Amino acid sequence: MTQPFLDTFAPLAERPDTPLYRQLYERVQAAIAAGTLSPGDRMPSARALAKELGVARGTIELAYSLLTSEGYLLARGQAGTVVNPQLQLQALATPSAPPPSDARPGDETPDVLWRPSQLLPFQMGVSALDAFPRKIWARLGARYLRGMRPADMDYPPPHGLPSLRSAIASYLQVSRGIDCGAHQVFITSGWRSSLAFVAHALLSPGGRAWVEDPGYPLTRQILRQFGLEPVPVRVDAQGIDVQHGIAQAGDAQLAVVTPAHQSPLSMALSLPRRQALLDWAATHDAWVVEDDYDGEYRYASRPLPALASLDRHGRVFYAGTFSKVLFPSIRLGYLVVPQAQVATFERVGRALFAAATPTMTQAIVADFIAEGHFARHIQRMRRLYGERRAETIAALERGLEGRLRVEPSPGGMHLVLRLPGERSDRPLADRLLADGIAVQALSRWSASAQPDSALLLSFTNCTSPAQAQRLGELIRQAL
Amino acid sequence: MTQPFLDTFAPLAERPDTPLYRQLYERVQAAIAAGTLSPGDRMPSARALAKELGVARGTIELAYSLLTSEGYLLARGQAGTVVNPQLQLQALATPSAPPPSDARPGDETPDVLWRPSQLLPFQMGVSALDAFPRKIWARLGARYLRGMRPADMDYPPPHGLPSLRSAIASYLQVSRGIDCGAHQVFITSGWRSSLAFVAHALLSPGGRAWVEDPGYPLTRQILRQFGLEPVPVRVDAQGIDVQHGIAQAGDAQLAVVTPAHQSPLSMALSLPRRQALLDWAATHDAWVVEDDYDGEYRYASRPLPALASLDRHGRVFYAGTFSKVLFPSIRLGYLVVPQAQVATFERVGRALFAAATPTMTQAIVADFIAEGHFARHIQRMRRLYGERRAETIAALERGLEGRLRVEPSPGGMHLVLRLPGERSDRPLADRLLADGIAVQALSRWSASAQPDSALLLSFTNCTSPAQAQRLGELIRQAL
């Protein structure tokens, strides 16, 4: 190692605004840009550097994997990690990021949307990957590939594979009480493209849209991308407060809601509120998008019918995703469109949102549903998640030794752990992330100036009660 | 059959504006909406109805398959075709399309973007599906599925799978002369999302963008979706006329070009023009997007290096797609970003365009490239397309009996057949489509008030010289 190398790997300082892994990440980037680290240079091993800097090995690994995923470093297995030999130094030496003033509204990436490049414990929004029926999936996939004909290789039908649209319509009828035909089901690549589809087809730039507060940050970003102004509407024990929404923005074009389990607080939208929301939409010619990201996962009782099943005026778009009930890397979702809007969505979809999902994915999922694997998988996951949830809560509370209690909730895929003190969740979440634990700070999901403070943590991948207990201990020590 | 049924299937009139299949399509929709046809009603067979109406069976099949893909009809194999029993009549009876005044600019779907629901002879933009190495593909796919681990099921890395980004960077270096690192390659779901990515990251609504005239209609649509004004710039034998572009809109933010084979006229952009375009971009801080949709397919000589390989000022974005070199249903493309813009695209991509492509697709393609199948496939296709092209031209000209000649071109995946008379291509293309032949009218790719008239027809799937000869005869008879 040459002398300047030492700067790069000088001790890291505890700074509340920048977690340790990110400090290291930035230093390595800077060293490469400055030429201190050259393409082909070998990096110290994570173990050695962790010891050297006195931080957790997970911190180093997180920084390395981030740098690797972005092409700065190259992992060479046994041969260790090196600076990517393909990096073009001259180009790198010029400043690569535009000044912040270039950023356009809606472009900001809140930390909450940042994801580590590997799956970390308690990470939100990821199904139980260990429990997915991979053998069945591989069998259906191999069968599809063996039987693939030229017609399967042409452009996919613009609104989705007919067999998949039919399978989803039948499933929704039975499991979510939605009375729809296959022609109302439009295949998308997930929530992002479903919401963008509605925004593009029906909404005018400059309009306003209710979003739940706290609520999913990506939703606000997508709306801004389409020139819409998200109006935060508070939620309480009954879900979104419709009267508050009307007072804030009665003339909004749209309300985006999570009726099954409010995202992220997990309460269900009460029946009176559902009715009030539908009444507002019908009388104001407003639209409602129901984001039913995990409606199947309810442990206290049967899943509730979807809001769309109560819609008598054709105002509700129902958005579903396979990210949560199958697995996230599948990139497949759908939008159920009220009958009177089908022609508009066919037109817009054909022009602008057509056929973004590979036929192979659509065909395998259609078979998975039609042959009954889907319904069985959801049943099994409902049971498994109920167990993992109970175990995680028990272990976490053991570690917490009574200092805090997990908030009771009827369903969903994550837990809410309230903390004392406004915004106290952020430094704690950052510190835990540096230790390789991916909990999220509730205050980052909030638009309010005085947000509640809580940690959000998923239990679906938590297979080790010891890990949950350890997390409880870390939180207790930090309080 | 009840009496009102007869109206629906009364003889079709030859109307220049509406092909026969579409007249039938609209009649069936209207009959269902009016209740004349009810859910569950059995439709006459295509053969019987073709005989009854005195039109080609392909016309009826085209209308039926369109109606089936949109959920109006249901094909029940041996049991025939019925009106979809799941259709909700009451809803259908209400007008389903908004009045045209509701349409927003950029929403129009020109006929040229409409695609039949099945692959028809001579259809543009589809690779030789019969010649794809399906067995190798199935083997790689099955291997991926067998080895799928939980980490492969988590959200894909936001900018694409590292192995795929590396494989593409290496391929571009060798085959297109582009000197880029893996971190400059951003995976997308195709041209649509690549261009949208650039528009969102760098361009301001209200700005102008050069597009080639004639040129790909979808490009103009995507630009309009982002609030940009497409400025048609004429093309001549050397490709886009840069001086004309500067005279029309020297202050444009962007130029979208197809340098390898102009889309749709197939000439290459000359070296002086390439230099003039790059000079304009550098001096005006404008961006260039190079749409290299079929650059590999050149028969007269070696493929030309990409425009991006000449770029010394970091102004050119290179957009590639696997739709043409593999197959369209794969929905996979990529964007190569100049080094100085990488940080911006990482930020915007993470927030808004992240991870739309399933990991499975990305992983199989990465293996396909890394194991040499990709390069071999392109070599084989270049040879095959050269042969099919020569055979198709010969057969077509036999059928034409010297009345017209195919325009010579050095590469690409389709032929240009000039017709006498402005816009005479549209009624002819419509008539041929009604006969199940999917040629396109050049004038529909043009923004000019006095467009050239020609038919565009792809030879990549043309396995039957007899079919091409027949097409030549049909055209000759129609002249």
Side-chain angles (χ1 to χ4, degrees):
Chain A
M1 266 188 213
T2 56
Q3 179 63 21
F5 227 66
L6 291 176
D7 270 1
T8 310
F9 302 115
L12 300 167
E14 285 285 356
R15 279 159 42 198
D17 56 328
T18 314
L20 295 177
Y21 76 93
R22 220 178 272 195
Q23 293 183 36
L24 179 60
Y25 165 84
E26 286 167 4
R27 276 197 202 171
V28 172
Q29 275 195 331
I32 293 174
T36 319
L37 281 174
S38 304
D41 275 357
R42 187 158 167 193
M43 301 292 290
S45 75
R47 178 195 299 264
L49 188 56
K51 204 172 158 194
E52 172 82 21
L53 300 180
V55 302
R57 185 168 157 187
T59 304
I60 312 294
E61 285 173 346
L62 188 58
Y64 275 21
S65 62
L66 193 58
L67 289 159
T68 303
S69 80
E70 295 179 0
Y72 293 98
L73 300 184
L74 200 63
R76 289 195 155 154
Q78 296 289 357
T81 298
V82 298
V83 178
N84 191 339
Q86 291 187 13
L87 277 182
Q88 293 175 45
L89 268 193
Q90 202 196 351
L92 272 170
T94 64
S96 70
S101 63
D102 275 13
R104 288 162 54 187
D107 278 357
E108 83 277 18
T109 308
D111 277 5
V112 71
L113 291 178
W114 181 85
R115 294 180 56 86
S117 59
Q118 64 197 69
L119 182 61
L120 297 178
F122 306 108
Q123 196 159 301
M124 297 270 285
V126 182
S127 53
L129 302 183
D130 60 309
F132 185 75
R134 293 204 292 277
K135 283 199 174 163
I136 293 172
W137 185 256
R139 181 159 53 75
L140 297 186
R143 189 179 70 191
Y144 170 80
L145 285 160
R146 273 196 313 274
M148 195 169 76
R149 297 153 306 146
D152 300 319
M153 300 164 67
D154 189 11
Y155 284 91
H159 315 310
L161 220 58
S163 58
L164 180 59
R165 301 173 81 188
S166 293
I168 292 171
S170 307
Y171 169 74
L172 292 176
Q173 181 97 43
V174 173
S175 91
R176 315 290 295 125
I178 300 174
D179 197 26
C180 67
H183 64 290
Q184 291 173 262
V185 178
F186 289 72
I187 305 301
T188 72
S189 58
W191 169 239
R192 196 188 297 261
S193 68
S194 292
L195 183 56
F197 196 177
V198 174
H200 184 77
L202 294 179
L203 307 178
S204 321
R208 299 200 285 174
W210 296 4
V211 293
E212 297 167 331
D213 184 24
Y216 191 36
L218 180 63
T219 298
R220 299 196 288 268
Q221 275 204 327
I222 298 166
L223 294 170
R224 283 199 206 98
Q225 186 194 4
F226 282 85
L228 297 158
E229 183 199 336
V231 178
V233 177
R234 69 177 173 226
V235 300
D236 60 21
Q238 293 191 63
I240 191 169
D241 181 342
V242 177
Q243 290 314 313
H244 182 241
I246 293 172
Q248 297 279 99
D251 62 345
Q253 298 184 4
L254 174 75
V256 183
V257 292
T258 50
H261 309 120
Q262 199 272 334
S263 169
L265 295 179
S266 291
M267 77 289 280
L269 187 61
S270 70
L271 191 59
R273 290 278 176 85
R274 287 174 188 236
Q275 211 51 66
L277 182 63
L278 295 173
D279 287 349
W280 166 76
T283 50
H284 288 76
D285 284 342
W287 305 105
V288 176
V289 175
E290 172 172 25
D291 175 10
D292 197 34
Y293 65 109
D294 68 351
E296 281 88 355
Y297 294 132
R298 195 171 175 83
Y299 314 106
S301 59
R302 298 282 311 154
L304 302 175
L307 177 66
S309 71
L310 300 175
D311 179 25
R312 294 286 161 267
H313 298 93
R315 309 310 298 178
V316 179
F317 291 82
Y318 175 93
T321 172
F322 290 102
S323 288
K324 307 288 188 288
V325 286
L326 295 179
F327 51 88
S329 83
I330 196 167
R331 306 286 73 217
L332 189 68
Y334 53 90
L335 183 71
V336 182
V337 169
Q339 177 60 45
Q341 304 307 320
V342 165
T344 301
F345 278 71
E346 284 177 351
R347 180 173 53 78
V348 173
R350 200 171 277 131
L352 284 164
F353 287 86
T357 309
T359 300
M360 172 166 60
T361 311
Q362 297 187 55
I364 300 174
V365 174
D367 286 350
F368 194 80
I369 299 176
E371 296 177 18
H373 305 297
F374 188 65
R376 273 193 294 277
H377 177 58
I378 288 175
Q379 288 292 345
R380 281 183 55 230
M381 289 306 101
R382 198 177 287 145
R383 209 161 44 231
L384 178 72
Y385 290 170
E387 291 162 12
R388 287 193 175 171
R389 183 168 174 274
E391 283 168 11
T392 305
I393 293 175
L396 199 59
E397 294 192 337
R398 269 199 306 281
L400 284 162
E401 293 183 359
R403 289 289 301 278
L404 299 172
R405 299 204 66 84
V406 173
E407 192 155 285
S409 70
M413 294 170 65
H414 64 269
L415 303 173
V416 179
L417 188 68
R418 299 262 172 195
L419 300 177
E422 198 181 283
R423 288 184 194 276
S424 64
D425 51 2
R426 296 188 186 194
L428 183 52
D430 287 344
R431 202 170 326 152
L432 290 166
L433 184 59
D435 282 334
I437 296 174
V439 300
Q440 291 202 1
L442 171 64
S443 69
R444 291 205 169 104
W445 291 54
S446 177
S448 157
Q450 298 182 317
D452 283 354
S453 187
L455 295 182
L456 307 173
L457 54 106
S458 169
F459 52 82
T460 47
N461 274 292
C462 186
T463 53
S464 145
Q467 205 173 36
Q469 181 167 344
R470 174 81 189 125
L471 173 59
E473 288 162 10
L474 286 172
I475 296 170
R476 174 168 51 80
Q477 286 156 15
L479 287 177
Chain B
M1 268 191 216
T2 56
Q3 180 62 20
F5 228 65
L6 291 176
D7 270 3
T8 310
F9 301 116
L12 300 168
E14 285 284 355
R15 280 157 44 194
D17 56 328
T18 314
L20 294 177
Y21 77 91
R22 219 179 273 196
Q23 293 183 36
L24 179 61
Y25 166 82
E26 285 165 5
R27 276 197 202 171
V28 172
Q29 275 195 331
I32 293 174
T36 319
L37 282 173
S38 303
D41 275 357
R42 188 160 166 187
M43 301 293 290
S45 75
R47 176 193 301 264
L49 189 55
K51 202 172 161 196
E52 172 82 19
L53 300 181
V55 300
R57 184 167 157 190
T59 303
I60 312 292
E61 285 173 346
L62 188 56
Y64 276 21
S65 64
L66 193 57
L67 289 159
T68 304
S69 81
E70 295 180 358
Y72 292 99
L73 301 184
L74 199 63
R76 288 197 157 153
Q78 296 290 357
T81 298
V82 298
V83 178
N84 191 339
Q86 290 187 12
L87 278 182
Q88 293 175 45
L89 269 192
Q90 201 196 350
L92 272 170
T94 64
S96 72
S101 64
D102 274 12
R104 289 162 52 186
D107 278 357
E108 84 276 19
T109 308
D111 277 5
V112 72
L113 291 178
W114 181 85
R115 295 179 56 87
S117 59
Q118 65 198 70
L119 182 60
L120 296 179
F122 306 106
Q123 194 159 304
M124 298 269 284
V126 182
S127 53
L129 302 183
D130 60 309
F132 184 76
R134 293 204 293 279
K135 281 199 175 165
I136 293 172
W137 186 257
R139 181 160 52 78
L140 297 186
R143 188 180 69 190
Y144 170 79
L145 286 160
R146 273 196 313 274
M148 195 168 76
R149 295 152 308 147
D152 300 317
M153 301 164 66
D154 190 10
Y155 284 90
H159 315 309
L161 221 56
S163 58
L164 179 61
R165 301 174 79 188
S166 294
I168 291 171
S170 308
Y171 168 76
L172 292 176
Q173 180 97 40
V174 173
S175 90
R176 313 294 293 124
I178 301 174
D179 196 25
C180 67
H183 65 290
Q184 290 173 263
V185 178
F186 289 73
I187 304 302
T188 71
S189 58
W191 169 241
R192 197 189 295 264
S193 68
S194 291
L195 183 56
F197 196 176
V198 175
H200 183 78
L202 294 179
L203 307 178
S204 320
R208 299 201 283 175
W210 296 3
V211 293
E212 296 167 332
D213 184 24
Y216 191 36
L218 180 63
T219 298
R220 299 197 287 268
Q221 276 204 328
I222 298 167
L223 293 170
R224 282 199 206 97
Q225 187 195 5
F226 282 86
L228 296 158
E229 183 199 336
V231 178
V233 178
R234 68 177 175 227
V235 300
D236 60 22
Q238 294 192 62
I240 191 168
D241 182 342
V242 177
Q243 290 313 314
H244 183 240
I246 293 172
Q248 296 280 98
D251 63 344
Q253 297 184 4
L254 174 75
V256 184
V257 292
T258 50
H261 310 120
Q262 198 273 333
S263 169
L265 296 178
S266 292
M267 78 289 279
L269 187 61
S270 70
L271 191 59
R273 290 280 175 85
R274 285 174 189 237
Q275 210 52 66
L277 183 62
L278 295 174
D279 286 349
W280 167 75
T283 50
H284 288 76
D285 284 343
W287 304 107
V288 176
V289 175
E290 172 172 25
D291 174 9
D292 196 35
Y293 65 109
D294 68 352
E296 281 87 355
Y297 295 131
R298 195 172 175 84
Y299 315 107
S301 59
R302 297 283 311 154
L304 302 175
L307 177 67
S309 70
L310 301 175
D311 179 27
R312 296 283 161 267
H313 296 94
R315 309 309 299 177
V316 179
F317 291 81
Y318 175 92
T321 172
F322 291 102
S323 287
K324 308 288 186 288
V325 287
L326 296 180
F327 52 88
S329 83
I330 197 166
R331 307 287 71 218
L332 189 68
Y334 53 91
L335 182 72
V336 182
V337 170
Q339 176 60 45
Q341 304 306 321
V342 165
T344 301
F345 278 70
E346 285 177 351
R347 181 173 51 80
V348 173
R350 201 170 277 131
L352 284 164
F353 287 87
T357 309
T359 300
M360 173 166 60
T361 310
Q362 298 188 55
I364 300 175
V365 174
D367 286 350
F368 194 81
I369 300 175
E371 296 178 17
H373 304 297
F374 188 66
R376 274 192 294 278
H377 177 58
I378 287 175
Q379 289 292 346
R380 282 184 54 231
M381 289 306 100
R382 197 178 287 145
R383 208 159 47 231
L384 178 71
Y385 289 170
E387 291 162 14
R388 286 193 177 171
R389 184 166 173 275
E391 283 169 11
T392 305
I393 292 175
L396 199 58
E397 293 190 339
R398 271 198 306 281
L400 284 163
E401 292 181 359
R403 289 289 300 279
L404 299 173
R405 300 205 64 83
V406 173
E407 190 153 288
S409 70
M413 295 169 64
H414 65 270
L415 304 173
V416 180
L417 188 69
R418 299 261 174 197
L419 299 178
E422 197 180 286
R423 288 183 195 276
S424 64
D425 52 359
R426 295 188 188 194
L428 183 52
D430 287 344
R431 202 170 328 151
L432 290 166
L433 185 58
D435 281 333
I437 295 175
V439 301
Q440 291 203 1
L442 172 64
S443 69
R444 291 208 169 103
W445 290 53
S446 177
S448 157
Q450 298 182 320
D452 284 355
S453 189
L455 295 182
L456 307 173
L457 55 104
S458 169
F459 53 81
T460 48
N461 275 292
C462 186
T463 53
S464 147
Q467 206 173 34
Q469 181 166 344
R470 173 82 189 123
L471 173 60
E473 287 161 9
L474 287 172
I475 295 170
R476 174 169 50 80
Q477 287 156 15
L479 288 177

